[in-house]
Amino acid sequence: MKYLVPDYYPYFHCKISQCRTACCTGWPVSFSMSEYFRLLGVECSAPIRRKLDIALHLTDHPTKDDYAMLLHSYDGSCPLRLSDGRCGLQADAGESALPAVCRLYPRGIRKGECSCANSCEAVVELLARAEPIRFVSLDLDIDYPSDTRVHFFENAGREMEIRLWLIRFIQDRRFSLGHRLFIMGTALKSMDEALSDKDGKRIEELLNEPYQIAPQPLKGNALPIVQRLFELMRSDSIEHYTGIALDRFSAEKDIGEKAADARLMQAEPNWESWFENLLVNHMFFSQFPFQDRPVSLQDETYALYAVYAMLKFLTVWAGSGDKEQTADAIAALFRLVDHTAFDRYAVPVLHKIGADPRILLTI
Ligand code: SF4
């Protein structure tokens, strides 16, 4: 079957033992009722059987789709993970024995499209390149049903066109990333109005005529706002890097754009195209702005502004100019952004701070 995928997709491979922060560590693995009963009876060796019997546990409030989980070992890792990084259950009983989350991660399979999450270290490293992401149609043999949407947006039946149109703004390298996000946000506002008015002619114009807007000078200081965002949006997955970044920022304060960019350049000379690719991949993976949650398109835009500002803050003040540390901080941030309702909470937190989200683009 044909799927639309980002061009890195066929080159994605799990790093197994080379992975510094494996997804099998520090992350609860939960699965459905049918998968639970399948794992209770899966054919496997005695040692794996013993580990499964010890680790399999019902969730606190079991539901059909979120029925059971694998309890982690004392070090936070999955008890089925082998010392060489491979999955013991897969090695023993084959890929089909795995719960869907283990079999698919970091892939996101949607109707006619696939991509990988930025929360995976291998994906983050694949995106550290000068070339922009291109979207290609690929024949993929995927025997897994695509996620079904719960929440519907008015999109005039042109959802993918609108999503790729917005991505092109982020890839317009005539402007800085902050300006590209500003222009994209303004264009989306125009599209939102046309969609609400069911104005097919205006939608056509927006999608096919050059979008005229002069980038406005962005004013304000984003750093204290992002500092507050990290203080208020704590999560286990980014705690380590948030701690480093906030401590270092408190010690150094504003080192200035030049020094910040130099630190990023030291970690990755193509840092701006790296960030562009991370934002574009996040937008495609999360189906921006039509995420499967009742969040307005305006708030989705502001949540994306917060992602950009948090990405830059965390990599400057926790990346320390080191490529691996910077990549690990990025993967940790996207554990929060891509695997929680981040887009739903970001704007209420910005309101609580009393911040104009557009100031985030000055970072
Ligand atoms: S985070 Fe990515 S590279 Fe690392 S173990 Fe998981 S899938 Fe593999």
Side-chain angles (χ1 to χ4, degrees), residues 85-229:
R86 290 178 305 137
C87 171
L89 177 60
Q90 181 174 2
D92 214 53
E95 189 186 327
S96 59
L98 297 179
V101 64
C102 302
R103 193 147 54 100
L104 290 172
Y105 179 84
R107 300 168 195 80
I109 300 175
R110 330 294 186 194
K111 197 161 172 288
E113 59 179 284
C114 291
S115 56
C116 296
N118 288 343
S119 56
C120 164
E121 185 178 299
V123 175
V124 169
E125 291 170 348
L126 272 175
L127 295 174
R129 61 184 209 192
E131 310 74 43
I133 293 178
R134 289 179 304 107
F135 293 90
V136 293
S137 177
L138 267 190
D139 249 317
L140 295 173
D141 173 17
I142 294 178
D143 64 350
Y144 187 75
S146 56
D147 286 354
T148 42
R149 285 188 78 88
V150 178
H151 191 74
F152 289 86
F153 288 88
E154 176 50 63
N155 56 38
R158 310 186 73 170
E159 177 181 331
M160 187 55 85
E161 284 175 86
I162 295 169
R163 288 170 49 198
L164 295 175
W165 172 68
L166 295 169
I167 281 174
R168 284 195 290 279
F169 287 107
I170 307 302
Q171 295 180 315
D172 185 346
R173 295 183 176 182
R174 293 176 298 162
F175 307 108
S176 72
L177 264 176
H179 271 123
R180 294 179 222 176
L181 282 154
F182 179 81
I183 297 168
M184 186 280 296
T186 314
L188 179 51
K189 195 162 182 299
S190 308
M191 179 59 80
D192 195 7
E193 285 153 11
L195 289 169
S196 316
D197 302 344
K198 296 189 184 347
D199 181 345
K201 184 166 172 297
R202 180 74 183 123
I203 294 166
E204 184 64 28
E205 280 167 9
L206 284 167
L207 287 175
N208 296 306
E209 287 167 20
Y211 189 75
Q212 302 302 340
I213 179 168
Q216 324 294 323
L218 302 169
K219 293 199 184 66
N221 181 3
L223 294 174
I225 302 172
V226 191
Q227 182 186 20
R228 282 303 282 133
L229 264 178

Side-chain angles (χ1 to χ4, degrees), residues 256-363:
E257 195 170 347
K258 272 211 172 61
D261 292 0
R263 201 174 278 176
L264 292 172
M265 186 74 86
Q266 193 186 330
E268 170 50 59
N270 298 311
W271 71 270
E272 201 158 13
S273 54
W274 191 13
F275 283 17
E276 172 201 304
N277 291 339
L278 289 162
L279 290 172
V280 164
N281 191 48
H282 164 64
M283 289 167 76
F284 190 78
F285 180 82
S286 61
Q287 301 179 299
F288 177 92
F290 307 116
Q291 287 216 51
D292 204 4
R293 271 183 286 274
V295 179
S296 73
L297 301 192
Q298 178 72 80
D299 282 4
E300 288 292 355
T301 305
Y302 289 159
L304 187 64
Y305 291 178
V307 171
Y308 166 64
M310 292 171 87
L311 174 65
K312 189 148 187 201
F313 186 98
L314 204 63
T315 49
V316 169
W317 274 283
S320 310
D322 174 82
K323 174 108 185 230
E324 290 192 349
Q325 179 140 335
T326 303
D328 296 349
I330 293 169
L333 174 65
F334 281 97
R335 280 193 177 195
L336 170 72
V337 171
D338 277 340
H339 305 284
T340 71
F342 175 90
D343 56 320
R344 201 167 188 174
Y345 302 121
V347 175
V349 172
L350 284 166
H351 285 151
K352 188 173 174 187
I353 300 172
D356 173 346
R358 290 165 298 179
I359 296 177
L360 290 166
L361 302 179
T362 65
I363 197 168

Side-chain angles (χ1 to χ4, degrees), residues 66-77:
D66 185 19
Y67 187 76
M69 55 197 299
L70 281 172
L71 294 182
H72 284 147
S73 306
Y74 70 93
D75 61 357
S77 68

